[in-house]
PDB file of all heavy atoms in Angstrom:
ATOM      1  N   LEU A   1       0.832  -1.205   0.000  1.00 87.00           N
ATOM      2  CA  LEU A   1       0.000   0.000   0.000  1.00 87.00           C
ATOM      3  C   LEU A   1       0.865   1.254   0.000  1.00 87.00           C
ATOM      4  O   LEU A   1       0.599   2.211  -0.738  1.00 87.00           O
ATOM      5  CB  LEU A   1      -0.923  -0.022   1.214  1.00 87.00           C
ATOM      6  CG  LEU A   1      -1.894   1.153   1.375  1.00 87.00           C
ATOM      7  CD1 LEU A   1      -2.748   1.333   0.130  1.00 87.00           C
ATOM      8  CD2 LEU A   1      -2.771   0.942   2.601  1.00 87.00           C
ATOM      9  N   ALA A   2       1.922   1.248   0.809  1.00 88.00           N
ATOM     10  CA  ALA A   2       2.830   2.393   0.856  1.00 88.00           C
ATOM     11  C   ALA A   2       3.508   2.612  -0.496  1.00 88.00           C
ATOM     12  O   ALA A   2       3.620   3.748  -0.968  1.00 88.00           O
ATOM     13  CB  ALA A   2       3.883   2.188   1.942  1.00 88.00           C
ATOM     14  N   ASN A   3       3.953   1.532  -1.124  1.00 88.00           N
ATOM     15  CA  ASN A   3       4.598   1.657  -2.434  1.00 88.00           C
ATOM     16  C   ASN A   3       3.644   2.230  -3.469  1.00 88.00           C
ATOM     17  O   ASN A   3       4.035   3.044  -4.315  1.00 88.00           O
ATOM     18  CB  ASN A   3       5.115   0.293  -2.887  1.00 88.00           C
ATOM     19  CG  ASN A   3       6.354  -0.148  -2.136  1.00 88.00           C
ATOM     20  OD1 ASN A   3       7.094   0.677  -1.621  1.00 88.00           O
ATOM     21  ND2 ASN A   3       6.575  -1.454  -2.061  1.00 88.00           N
ATOM     22  N   ARG A   4       2.386   1.808  -3.411  1.00 89.00           N
ATOM     23  CA  ARG A   4       1.398   2.329  -4.364  1.00 89.00           C
ATOM     24  C   ARG A   4       1.148   3.817  -4.129  1.00 89.00           C
ATOM     25  O   ARG A   4       0.993   4.587  -5.084  1.00 89.00           O
ATOM     26  CB  ARG A   4       0.089   1.555  -4.248  1.00 89.00           C
ATOM     27  CG  ARG A   4       0.209   0.105  -4.689  1.00 89.00           C
ATOM     28  CD  ARG A   4      -1.142  -0.555  -4.733  1.00 89.00           C
ATOM     29  NE  ARG A   4      -1.022  -1.998  -4.926  1.00 89.00           N
ATOM     30  CZ  ARG A   4      -2.011  -2.752  -5.367  1.00 89.00           C
ATOM     31  NH1 ARG A   4      -3.170  -2.216  -5.678  1.00 89.00           N
ATOM     32  NH2 ARG A   4      -1.846  -4.057  -5.512  1.00 89.00           N
ATOM     33  N   LEU A   5       1.114   4.216  -2.868  1.00 91.00           N
ATOM     34  CA  LEU A   5       0.916   5.635  -2.571  1.00 91.00           C
ATOM     35  C   LEU A   5       2.092   6.473  -3.067  1.00 91.00           C
ATOM     36  O   LEU A   5       1.899   7.567  -3.600  1.00 91.00           O
ATOM     37  CB  LEU A   5       0.736   5.825  -1.069  1.00 91.00           C
ATOM     38  CG  LEU A   5      -0.687   5.743  -0.530  1.00 91.00           C
ATOM     39  CD1 LEU A   5      -0.687   5.889   0.986  1.00 91.00           C
ATOM     40  CD2 LEU A   5      -1.570   6.797  -1.159  1.00 91.00           C
ATOM     41  N   VAL A   6       3.302   5.968  -2.876  1.00 92.00           N
ATOM     42  CA  VAL A   6       4.481   6.690  -3.351  1.00 92.00           C
ATOM     43  C   VAL A   6       4.446   6.805  -4.876  1.00 92.00           C
ATOM     44  O   VAL A   6       4.744   7.871  -5.434  1.00 92.00           O
ATOM     45  CB  VAL A   6       5.775   6.002  -2.881  1.00 92.00           C
ATOM     46  CG1 VAL A   6       6.995   6.593  -3.598  1.00 92.00           C
ATOM     47  CG2 VAL A   6       5.941   6.150  -1.372  1.00 92.00           C
ATOM     48  N   ARG A   7       4.066   5.730  -5.558  1.00 92.00           N
ATOM     49  CA  ARG A   7       3.958   5.790  -7.027  1.00 92.00           C
ATOM     50  C   ARG A   7       2.887   6.787  -7.447  1.00 92.00           C
ATOM     51  O   ARG A   7       3.057   7.533  -8.420  1.00 92.00           O
ATOM     52  CB  ARG A   7       3.644   4.401  -7.591  1.00 92.00           C
ATOM     53  CG  ARG A   7       4.818   3.425  -7.523  1.00 92.00           C
ATOM     54  CD  ARG A   7       4.629   2.255  -8.469  1.00 92.00           C
ATOM     55  NE  ARG A   7       3.452   1.476  -8.162  1.00 92.00           N
ATOM     56  CZ  ARG A   7       3.432   0.435  -7.324  1.00 92.00           C
ATOM     57  NH1 ARG A   7       4.551   0.070  -6.702  1.00 92.00           N
ATOM     58  NH2 ARG A   7       2.322  -0.242  -7.106  1.00 92.00           N
ATOM     59  N   GLN A   8       1.762   6.802  -6.712  1.00 93.00           N
ATOM     60  CA  GLN A   8       0.702   7.759  -7.011  1.00 93.00           C
ATOM     61  C   GLN A   8       1.205   9.192  -6.838  1.00 93.00           C
ATOM     62  O   GLN A   8       0.956  10.057  -7.683  1.00 93.00           O
ATOM     63  CB  GLN A   8      -0.497   7.511  -6.085  1.00 93.00           C
ATOM     64  CG  GLN A   8      -1.690   8.420  -6.312  1.00 93.00           C
ATOM     65  CD  GLN A   8      -2.434   8.106  -7.591  1.00 93.00           C
ATOM     66  OE1 GLN A   8      -2.341   6.998  -8.119  1.00 93.00           O
ATOM     67  NE2 GLN A   8      -3.169   9.075  -8.113  1.00 93.00           N
ATOM     68  N   ALA A   9       1.922   9.441  -5.753  1.00 94.00           N
ATOM     69  CA  ALA A   9       2.484  10.775  -5.520  1.00 94.00           C
ATOM     70  C   ALA A   9       3.443  11.166  -6.632  1.00 94.00           C
ATOM     71  O   ALA A   9       3.439  12.314  -7.110  1.00 94.00           O
ATOM     72  CB  ALA A   9       3.189  10.822  -4.166  1.00 94.00           C
ATOM     73  N   ASP A  10       4.254  10.222  -7.074  1.00 94.00           N
ATOM     74  CA  ASP A  10       5.220  10.478  -8.136  1.00 94.00           C
ATOM     75  C   ASP A  10       4.521  10.904  -9.428  1.00 94.00           C
ATOM     76  O   ASP A  10       5.009  11.770 -10.160  1.00 94.00           O
ATOM     77  CB  ASP A  10       6.067   9.230  -8.363  1.00 94.00           C
ATOM     78  CG  ASP A  10       7.303   9.507  -9.201  1.00 94.00           C
ATOM     79  OD1 ASP A  10       7.894  10.588  -9.055  1.00 94.00           O
ATOM     80  OD2 ASP A  10       7.667   8.648 -10.018  1.00 94.00           O
ATOM     81  N   LEU A  11       3.368  10.303  -9.698  1.00 95.00           N
ATOM     82  CA  LEU A  11       2.606  10.645 -10.900  1.00 95.00           C
ATOM     83  C   LEU A  11       1.975  12.030 -10.792  1.00 95.00           C
ATOM     84  O   LEU A  11       1.616  12.625 -11.812  1.00 95.00           O
ATOM     85  CB  LEU A  11       1.510   9.606 -11.144  1.00 95.00           C
ATOM     86  CG  LEU A  11       1.981   8.208 -11.559  1.00 95.00           C
ATOM     87  CD1 LEU A  11       0.804   7.240 -11.561  1.00 95.00           C
ATOM     88  CD2 LEU A  11       2.636   8.245 -12.928  1.00 95.00           C
ATOM     89  N   LEU A  12       1.817  12.531  -9.571  1.00 96.00           N
ATOM     90  CA  LEU A  12       1.132  13.803  -9.345  1.00 96.00           C
ATOM     91  C   LEU A  12       2.091  14.977  -9.196  1.00 96.00           C
ATOM     92  O   LEU A  12       1.649  16.097  -8.923  1.00 96.00           O
ATOM     93  CB  LEU A  12       0.256  13.698  -8.089  1.00 96.00           C
ATOM     94  CG  LEU A  12      -0.919  12.727  -8.183  1.00 96.00           C
ATOM     95  CD1 LEU A  12      -1.538  12.512  -6.808  1.00 96.00           C
ATOM     96  CD2 LEU A  12      -1.968  13.238  -9.160  1.00 96.00           C
ATOM     97  N   VAL A  13       3.385  14.743  -9.363  1.00 97.00           N
ATOM     98  CA  VAL A  13       4.362  15.831  -9.223  1.00 97.00           C
ATOM     99  C   VAL A  13       4.101  16.913 -10.276  1.00 97.00           C
ATOM    100  O   VAL A  13       3.939  16.624 -11.463  1.00 97.00           O
ATOM    101  CB  VAL A  13       5.803  15.294  -9.368  1.00 97.00           C
ATOM    102  CG1 VAL A  13       6.794  16.450  -9.446  1.00 97.00           C
ATOM    103  CG2 VAL A  13       6.149  14.390  -8.191  1.00 97.00           C
ATOM    104  N   VAL A  14       4.030  18.144  -9.809  1.00 97.00           N
ATOM    105  CA  VAL A  14       3.816  19.293 -10.694  1.00 97.00           C
ATOM    106  C   VAL A  14       4.937  20.302 -10.439  1.00 97.00           C
ATOM    107  O   VAL A  14       5.299  20.568  -9.285  1.00 97.00           O
ATOM    108  CB  VAL A  14       2.446  19.954 -10.424  1.00 97.00           C
ATOM    109  CG1 VAL A  14       2.304  21.245 -11.219  1.00 97.00           C
ATOM    110  CG2 VAL A  14       1.314  18.993 -10.764  1.00 97.00           C
ATOM    111  N   GLU A  15       5.479  20.855 -11.507  1.00 97.00           N
ATOM    112  CA  GLU A  15       6.527  21.863 -11.374  1.00 97.00           C
ATOM    113  C   GLU A  15       5.908  23.225 -11.070  1.00 97.00           C
ATOM    114  O   GLU A  15       5.037  23.701 -11.788  1.00 97.00           O
ATOM    115  CB  GLU A  15       7.349  21.950 -12.658  1.00 97.00           C
ATOM    116  CG  GLU A  15       8.323  20.802 -12.852  1.00 97.00           C
ATOM    117  CD  GLU A  15       9.487  20.857 -11.871  1.00 97.00           C
ATOM    118  OE1 GLU A  15       9.833  21.967 -11.428  1.00 97.00           O
ATOM    119  OE2 GLU A  15      10.045  19.786 -11.566  1.00 97.00           O
ATOM    120  N   GLY A  16       6.356  23.844  -9.982  1.00 96.00           N
ATOM    121  CA  GLY A  16       5.926  25.181  -9.629  1.00 96.00           C
ATOM    122  C   GLY A  16       7.104  26.133  -9.612  1.00 96.00           C
ATOM    123  O   GLY A  16       8.226  25.764  -9.991  1.00 96.00           O
ATOM    124  N   THR A  17       6.873  27.341  -9.159  1.00 96.00           N
ATOM    125  CA  THR A  17       7.943  28.336  -9.111  1.00 96.00           C
ATOM    126  C   THR A  17       9.126  27.858  -8.274  1.00 96.00           C
ATOM    127  O   THR A  17      10.286  28.064  -8.630  1.00 96.00           O
ATOM    128  CB  THR A  17       7.415  29.656  -8.526  1.00 96.00           C
ATOM    129  OG1 THR A  17       6.306  30.108  -9.316  1.00 96.00           O
ATOM    130  CG2 THR A  17       8.493  30.726  -8.525  1.00 96.00           C
ATOM    131  N   ALA A  18       8.815  27.181  -7.161  1.00 97.00           N
ATOM    132  CA  ALA A  18       9.876  26.711  -6.259  1.00 97.00           C
ATOM    133  C   ALA A  18      10.392  25.333  -6.623  1.00 97.00           C
ATOM    134  O   ALA A  18      11.292  24.812  -5.957  1.00 97.00           O
ATOM    135  CB  ALA A  18       9.369  26.707  -4.819  1.00 97.00           C
ATOM    136  N   GLY A  19       9.828  24.704  -7.669  1.00 97.00           N
ATOM    137  CA  GLY A  19      10.263  23.372  -8.071  1.00 97.00           C
ATOM    138  C   GLY A  19       9.145  22.364  -7.949  1.00 97.00           C
ATOM    139  O   GLY A  19       7.970  22.723  -7.822  1.00 97.00           O
ATOM    140  N   PRO A  20       9.462  21.058  -7.975  1.00 98.00           N
ATOM    141  CA  PRO A  20       8.436  20.019  -7.981  1.00 98.00           C
ATOM    142  C   PRO A  20       7.668  19.952  -6.667  1.00 98.00           C
ATOM    143  O   PRO A  20       8.236  20.088  -5.581  1.00 98.00           O
ATOM    144  CB  PRO A  20       9.233  18.724  -8.211  1.00 98.00           C
ATOM    145  CG  PRO A  20      10.606  19.037  -7.723  1.00 98.00           C
ATOM    146  CD  PRO A  20      10.821  20.485  -8.029  1.00 98.00           C
ATOM    147  N   GLY A  21       6.356  19.733  -6.780  1.00 98.00           N
ATOM    148  CA  GLY A  21       5.519  19.631  -5.591  1.00 98.00           C
ATOM    149  C   GLY A  21       4.432  18.596  -5.775  1.00 98.00           C
ATOM    150  O   GLY A  21       4.108  18.199  -6.901  1.00 98.00           O
ATOM    151  N   ILE A  22       3.877  18.137  -4.651  1.00 98.00           N
ATOM    152  CA  ILE A  22       2.798  17.148  -4.678  1.00 98.00           C
ATOM    153  C   ILE A  22       1.675  17.612  -3.759  1.00 98.00           C
ATOM    154  O   ILE A  22       1.875  18.474  -2.900  1.00 98.00           O
ATOM    155  CB  ILE A  22       3.276  15.748  -4.230  1.00 98.00           C
ATOM    156  CG1 ILE A  22       3.794  15.795  -2.777  1.00 98.00           C
ATOM    157  CG2 ILE A  22       4.314  15.189  -5.183  1.00 98.00           C
ATOM    158  CD1 ILE A  22       4.017  14.426  -2.154  1.00 98.00           C
ATOM    159  N   PRO A  23       0.455  17.023  -3.901  1.00 97.00           N
ATOM    160  CA  PRO A  23      -0.604  17.283  -2.925  1.00 97.00           C
ATOM    161  C   PRO A  23      -0.190  16.736  -1.551  1.00 97.00           C
ATOM    162  O   PRO A  23       0.723  15.904  -1.460  1.00 97.00           O
ATOM    163  CB  PRO A  23      -1.815  16.512  -3.485  1.00 97.00           C
ATOM    164  CG  PRO A  23      -1.457  16.176  -4.894  1.00 97.00           C
ATOM    165  CD  PRO A  23       0.023  16.103  -4.963  1.00 97.00           C
ATOM    166  N   ASN A  24      -0.880  17.164  -0.502  1.00 98.00           N
ATOM    167  CA  ASN A  24      -0.522  16.655   0.819  1.00 98.00           C
ATOM    168  C   ASN A  24      -1.647  15.880   1.504  1.00 98.00           C
ATOM    169  O   ASN A  24      -1.450  15.353   2.592  1.00 98.00           O
ATOM    170  CB  ASN A  24      -0.012  17.780   1.740  1.00 98.00           C
ATOM    171  CG  ASN A  24      -0.979  18.943   1.844  1.00 98.00           C
ATOM    172  OD1 ASN A  24      -2.184  18.789   1.708  1.00 98.00           O
ATOM    173  ND2 ASN A  24      -0.438  20.134   2.076  1.00 98.00           N
ATOM    174  N   HIS A  25      -2.816  15.797   0.890  1.00 98.00           N
ATOM    175  CA  HIS A  25      -3.906  14.997   1.444  1.00 98.00           C
ATOM    176  C   HIS A  25      -4.267  13.885   0.458  1.00 98.00           C
ATOM    177  O   HIS A  25      -4.515  14.148  -0.726  1.00 98.00           O
ATOM    178  CB  HIS A  25      -5.132  15.866   1.727  1.00 98.00           C
ATOM    179  CG  HIS A  25      -4.998  16.693   2.965  1.00 98.00           C
ATOM    180  ND1 HIS A  25      -6.070  17.083   3.733  1.00 98.00           N
ATOM    181  CD2 HIS A  25      -3.904  17.197   3.597  1.00 98.00           C
ATOM    182  CE1 HIS A  25      -5.656  17.785   4.766  1.00 98.00           C
ATOM    183  NE2 HIS A  25      -4.333  17.888   4.693  1.00 98.00           N
ATOM    184  N   PHE A  26      -4.297  12.657   0.961  1.00 97.00           N
ATOM    185  CA  PHE A  26      -4.572  11.479   0.137  1.00 97.00           C
ATOM    186  C   PHE A  26      -5.715  10.685   0.758  1.00 97.00           C
ATOM    187  O   PHE A  26      -5.586  10.204   1.889  1.00 97.00           O
ATOM    188  CB  PHE A  26      -3.330  10.577   0.038  1.00 97.00           C
ATOM    189  CG  PHE A  26      -2.175  11.200  -0.685  1.00 97.00           C
ATOM    190  CD1 PHE A  26      -1.384  12.169  -0.072  1.00 97.00           C
ATOM    191  CD2 PHE A  26      -1.868  10.821  -1.981  1.00 97.00           C
ATOM    192  CE1 PHE A  26      -0.313  12.747  -0.734  1.00 97.00           C
ATOM    193  CE2 PHE A  26      -0.798  11.391  -2.654  1.00 97.00           C
ATOM    194  CZ  PHE A  26      -0.026  12.356  -2.037  1.00 97.00           C
ATOM    195  N   ALA A  27      -6.829  10.581   0.050  1.00 97.00           N
ATOM    196  CA  ALA A  27      -7.941   9.735   0.486  1.00 97.00           C
ATOM    197  C   ALA A  27      -7.873   8.450  -0.337  1.00 97.00           C
ATOM    198  O   ALA A  27      -8.031   8.474  -1.553  1.00 97.00           O
ATOM    199  CB  ALA A  27      -9.272  10.445   0.275  1.00 97.00           C
ATOM    200  N   VAL A  28      -7.610   7.334   0.342  1.00 94.00           N
ATOM    201  CA  VAL A  28      -7.341   6.070  -0.335  1.00 94.00           C
ATOM    202  C   VAL A  28      -8.470   5.077  -0.054  1.00 94.00           C
ATOM    203  O   VAL A  28      -8.683   4.680   1.102  1.00 94.00           O
ATOM    204  CB  VAL A  28      -5.991   5.475   0.132  1.00 94.00           C
ATOM    205  CG1 VAL A  28      -5.673   4.213  -0.659  1.00 94.00           C
ATOM    206  CG2 VAL A  28      -4.878   6.504  -0.023  1.00 94.00           C
ATOM    207  N   ALA A  29      -9.198   4.714  -1.097  1.00 93.00           N
ATOM    208  CA  ALA A  29     -10.259   3.720  -0.969  1.00 93.00           C
ATOM    209  C   ALA A  29      -9.676   2.338  -1.247  1.00 93.00           C
ATOM    210  O   ALA A  29      -8.992   2.136  -2.250  1.00 93.00           O
ATOM    211  CB  ALA A  29     -11.395   4.024  -1.938  1.00 93.00           C
ATOM    212  N   VAL A  30      -9.933   1.400  -0.343  1.00 91.00           N
ATOM    213  CA  VAL A  30      -9.419   0.033  -0.425  1.00 91.00           C
ATOM    214  C   VAL A  30     -10.573  -0.930  -0.158  1.00 91.00           C
ATOM    215  O   VAL A  30     -11.432  -0.651   0.691  1.00 91.00           O
ATOM    216  CB  VAL A  30      -8.300  -0.205   0.619  1.00 91.00           C
ATOM    217  CG1 VAL A  30      -7.729  -1.609   0.509  1.00 91.00           C
ATOM    218  CG2 VAL A  30      -7.185   0.825   0.463  1.00 91.00           C
ATOM    219  N   ASN A  31     -10.609  -2.037  -0.879  1.00 90.00           N
ATOM    220  CA  ASN A  31     -11.611  -3.062  -0.592  1.00 90.00           C
ATOM    221  C   ASN A  31     -11.471  -3.507   0.860  1.00 90.00           C
ATOM    222  O   ASN A  31     -10.365  -3.810   1.318  1.00 90.00           O
ATOM    223  CB  ASN A  31     -11.434  -4.250  -1.533  1.00 90.00           C
ATOM    224  CG  ASN A  31     -12.549  -5.261  -1.391  1.00 90.00           C
ATOM    225  OD1 ASN A  31     -12.639  -5.965  -0.396  1.00 90.00           O
ATOM    226  ND2 ASN A  31     -13.401  -5.324  -2.397  1.00 90.00           N
ATOM    227  N   ASP A  32     -12.592  -3.542   1.589  1.00 86.00           N
ATOM    228  CA  ASP A  32     -12.483  -3.866   3.009  1.00 86.00           C
ATOM    229  C   ASP A  32     -11.957  -5.275   3.253  1.00 86.00           C
ATOM    230  O   ASP A  32     -11.402  -5.573   4.318  1.00 86.00           O
ATOM    231  CB  ASP A  32     -13.819  -3.666   3.735  1.00 86.00           C
ATOM    232  CG  ASP A  32     -14.980  -4.369   3.077  1.00 86.00           C
ATOM    233  OD1 ASP A  32     -14.760  -5.138   2.109  1.00 86.00           O
ATOM    234  OD2 ASP A  32     -16.123  -4.166   3.529  1.00 86.00           O
ATOM    235  N   GLY A  33     -12.066  -6.149   2.254  1.00 87.00           N
ATOM    236  CA  GLY A  33     -11.504  -7.482   2.393  1.00 87.00           C
ATOM    237  C   GLY A  33      -9.994  -7.515   2.294  1.00 87.00           C
ATOM    238  O   GLY A  33      -9.361  -8.510   2.661  1.00 87.00           O
ATOM    239  N   ASP A  34      -9.392  -6.413   1.796  1.00 86.00           N
ATOM    240  CA  ASP A  34      -7.936  -6.330   1.683  1.00 86.00           C
ATOM    241  C   ASP A  34      -7.282  -5.796   2.953  1.00 86.00           C
ATOM    242  O   ASP A  34      -6.054  -5.757   3.049  1.00 86.00           O
ATOM    243  CB  ASP A  34      -7.545  -5.424   0.517  1.00 86.00           C
ATOM    244  CG  ASP A  34      -7.693  -6.116  -0.834  1.00 86.00           C
ATOM    245  OD1 ASP A  34      -7.686  -7.354  -0.849  1.00 86.00           O
ATOM    246  OD2 ASP A  34      -7.817  -5.410  -1.842  1.00 86.00           O
ATOM    247  N   LEU A  35      -8.093  -5.348   3.916  1.00 84.00           N
ATOM    248  CA  LEU A  35      -7.551  -4.793   5.150  1.00 84.00           C
ATOM    249  C   LEU A  35      -7.653  -5.824   6.262  1.00 84.00           C
ATOM    250  O   LEU A  35      -8.747  -6.263   6.624  1.00 84.00           O
ATOM    251  CB  LEU A  35      -8.328  -3.533   5.545  1.00 84.00           C
ATOM    252  CG  LEU A  35      -8.184  -2.335   4.605  1.00 84.00           C
ATOM    253  CD1 LEU A  35      -9.146  -1.229   5.003  1.00 84.00           C
ATOM    254  CD2 LEU A  35      -6.748  -1.819   4.621  1.00 84.00           C
ATOM    255  N   ASP A  36      -6.519  -6.208   6.802  1.00 80.00           N
ATOM    256  CA  ASP A  36      -6.532  -7.175   7.888  1.00 80.00           C
ATOM    257  C   ASP A  36      -7.118  -6.527   9.145  1.00 80.00           C
ATOM    258  O   ASP A  36      -6.678  -5.453   9.546  1.00 80.00           O
ATOM    259  CB  ASP A  36      -5.112  -7.661   8.172  1.00 80.00           C
ATOM    260  CG  ASP A  36      -5.110  -8.877   9.076  1.00 80.00           C
ATOM    261  OD1 ASP A  36      -5.400  -8.696  10.268  1.00 80.00           O
ATOM    262  OD2 ASP A  36      -4.821  -9.981   8.588  1.00 80.00           O
ATOM    263  N   PRO A  37      -8.138  -7.135   9.748  1.00 81.00           N
ATOM    264  CA  PRO A  37      -8.795  -6.523  10.904  1.00 81.00           C
ATOM    265  C   PRO A  37      -7.885  -6.383  12.129  1.00 81.00           C
ATOM    266  O   PRO A  37      -8.200  -5.634  13.042  1.00 81.00           O
ATOM    267  CB  PRO A  37      -9.968  -7.466  11.194  1.00 81.00           C
ATOM    268  CG  PRO A  37      -9.584  -8.767  10.559  1.00 81.00           C
ATOM    269  CD  PRO A  37      -8.780  -8.410   9.353  1.00 81.00           C
ATOM    270  N   SER A  38      -6.751  -7.082  12.133  1.00 79.00           N
ATOM    271  CA  SER A  38      -5.855  -6.992  13.288  1.00 79.00           C
ATOM    272  C   SER A  38      -4.997  -5.738  13.264  1.00 79.00           C
ATOM    273  O   SER A  38      -4.347  -5.400  14.255  1.00 79.00           O
ATOM    274  CB  SER A  38      -4.947  -8.231  13.350  1.00 79.00           C
ATOM    275  OG  SER A  38      -4.054  -8.245  12.246  1.00 79.00           O
ATOM    276  N   ILE A  39      -4.974  -5.037  12.135  1.00 80.00           N
ATOM    277  CA  ILE A  39      -4.150  -3.837  12.017  1.00 80.00           C
ATOM    278  C   ILE A  39      -4.927  -2.620  12.497  1.00 80.00           C
ATOM    279  O   ILE A  39      -6.087  -2.433  12.139  1.00 80.00           O
ATOM    280  CB  ILE A  39      -3.693  -3.626  10.564  1.00 80.00           C
ATOM    281  CG1 ILE A  39      -2.733  -4.725  10.148  1.00 80.00           C
ATOM    282  CG2 ILE A  39      -3.009  -2.275  10.393  1.00 80.00           C
ATOM    283  CD1 ILE A  39      -2.237  -4.585   8.745  1.00 80.00           C
TER     284      ILE A  39
END
């Protein structure tokens, strides 16, 4: 999940006046069956 988020952030890089930037809020929808209830 972390690797996918990093790849998603990498795809969202935008060049601004100060250089490359990304959004800072990520809402991630995941199938509830993919989330272990012990975590």
